[in-house]
Amino acid sequence: MMSGAYTHLDRLVALAGAARRLDLPVRTRTGAPRAGGHLTRAPGAGMDFMEYRNYQAGDDIRTIDWRASARTGTTQTRLYQQEKERPALFILDQGPSLFFGSRHNFKSVTAAEVMAILAWQALLRGDRVGALLLGQVDGSTHTMNVRPHGSRQHLLQLLQQAVTLNNSLRAGLPGDGQALPQLLGRAVHLARPGTRVTVISDFYQLNPTGLSSLARVARRCPVTAVQPFDPLEHQLPPAAVYAVSNGHRRGLLDTRSHQLAQRYSRAACQRQDLLAQQLASHCIRLHRIDCSLETESQLADCIRRAGKI
């Protein structure tokens, strides 16, 4: 299903079904508070056996393995891997550069759908979900900070805020080259060690300052970058003369020049290669999502290739 220029809350809520269909491991939550679907080497109340050790005063007698005790001649206790949550922090860019699309979804809509699917998946794992959201309201840069929480109601509020920013986008809004770098600077202080961080942006505004902040986050947290893109950003439309507008001015785009088309594609490839190299140098995996195609199947393909997002 395609949403077009704008998304809405019902659409993002419906993507909970897509999250369930993704080929990701989902573990049943334990009864302990803040238990989640990620295993830690710390012994605790979990389901996966870790090792034996000699019985110690205070151990739960239900964990004694009598067969192992008989074999070794000493009372043996079974230890299990403790299940712990891993907070998920999403950094969602809804800036003016994402308000573009040539077919089906705008980049801003695809970005919101990516966050919704992955956020629902994190909640199904038993993780807390939070976000830093960036957009423009009434022509001014606006950010929202949603602290991680593990309830469905909290996630619905987060998605509603994403919809608010998405629906505030208009053609001709001026870009703010410092907005994304400043947001990434805030992430340095909000992303606790072990938090899974996902940055969803076209990265047009990623400058050295923003990259430095992202690198600092990546030194203590696993970071993934997801980049919505439109095919027209990498290849000009078929040879013809097109009427174009940036929301303020109108003009004509002549794509009949083969040399122009080559220069355009070459510049786009160079820009993309540079971004991939910059992120890879900080061990940040980059996934690209075509906004002219359906979002869910592309995310599933990314997960199958990478194992997880």
Side-chain angles (χ1 to χ4, degrees):
M1 177 179 176
M2 302 298 178
S3 299
Y6 296 104
T7 191
H8 48 87
L9 184 59
D10 288 347
R11 167 61 177 160
L12 299 187
V13 171
L15 289 173
R20 295 187 184 94
R21 290 188 293 271
L22 288 181
D23 187 20
L24 289 175
V26 179
R27 301 181 63 86
T28 303
R29 297 185 66 170
T30 68
R34 293 196 175 182
H38 307 280
L39 297 177
T40 176
R41 291 292 297 174
M47 297 296 293
D48 293 297
F49 172 71
M50 185 169 68
E51 62 184 355
Y52 292 110
R53 69 161 165 76
N54 290 336
Y55 177 82
Q56 297 177 1
D59 284 350
D60 188 336
I61 60 172
R62 291 173 295 181
T63 63
I64 295 176
D65 188 307
W66 297 107
R67 290 185 179 180
S69 299
R71 288 197 304 269
T72 61
T74 59
T75 305
Q76 297 289 307
T77 298
R78 294 175 65 92
L79 297 182
Y80 297 86
Q81 288 180 311
Q82 183 180 2
E83 292 182 357
K84 296 186 68 176
E85 66 167 9
R86 170 176 284 174
L89 178 66
F90 294 93
I91 301 174
L92 177 66
D93 187 356
Q94 291 285 284
S97 66
L98 283 95
F99 193 65
F100 174 77
S102 59
R103 296 189 297 274
H104 303 302
N105 283 353
F106 276 28
K107 293 190 295 178
S108 52
V109 170
T110 295
E113 290 183 351
V114 168
M115 186 191 75
I117 293 173
L118 296 179
W120 281 116
Q121 183 63 49
L123 192 68
L124 289 171
R125 284 196 187 104
D127 294 340
R128 291 180 297 149
V129 178
L132 284 170
L133 309 175
L134 170 65
Q136 289 205 4
V137 177
D138 297 327
S140 299
T141 299
H142 190 79
T143 60
M144 298 179 180
N145 176 13
V146 183
R147 294 194 174 278
H149 199 277
S151 72
R152 175 185 171 88
Q153 185 60 38
H154 178 83
L155 179 52
L156 291 176
Q157 293 172 359
L158 187 160
L159 296 179
Q160 179 58 65
Q161 291 182 333
V163 168
T164 297
L165 291 179
N166 177 268
N167 291 183
S168 297
L169 286 169
R170 297 290 184 273
L173 288 175
D176 182 351
Q178 295 303 315
L180 181 61
Q182 289 173 357
L183 193 72
L184 294 174
R186 293 176 61 182
V188 173
H189 305 289
L190 292 176
R192 305 294 184 186
T195 299
R196 185 175 298 280
V197 179
T198 305
V199 186
I200 309 168
S201 173
D202 60 8
F203 297 99
Y204 279 6
Q205 307 299 331
L206 183 66
N207 61 18
T209 300
L211 183 62
S212 176
S213 295
L214 196 54
R216 291 177 62 188
V217 175
R219 282 197 286 268
R220 62 172 182 264
C221 301
V223 177
T224 300
V226 181
Q227 181 188 29
F229 74 94
D230 186 272
L232 281 187
E233 295 177 296
H234 300 275
Q235 184 174 1
L236 288 175
V241 178
Y242 298 88
V244 296
S245 172
N246 63 1
H248 296 292
R249 294 183 299 174
R250 296 180 181 272
L252 296 177
L253 174 63
D254 187 347
T255 64
R256 292 174 296 183
S257 169
H258 181 66
Q259 290 182 336
L260 172 63
Q262 284 187 325
R263 289 198 303 269
Y264 183 89
S265 296
R266 186 163 52 247
C269 288
Q270 291 172 347
R271 182 173 61 247
Q272 188 62 38
D273 288 345
L274 176 61
L275 173 64
Q277 292 169 8
Q278 289 174 327
L279 296 178
S281 68
H282 300 292
C283 299
I284 299 172
R285 185 186 295 271
L286 175 64
H287 299 280
R288 305 184 71 228
I289 304 293
D290 187 339
C291 67
S292 71
L293 302 174
E294 190 265 340
T295 304
E296 177 188 347
S297 60
Q298 294 185 80
L299 270 182
D301 288 341
C302 291
I303 290 167
R304 280 192 288 270
R305 290 195 301 267
K308 60 185 176 182
I309 291 184

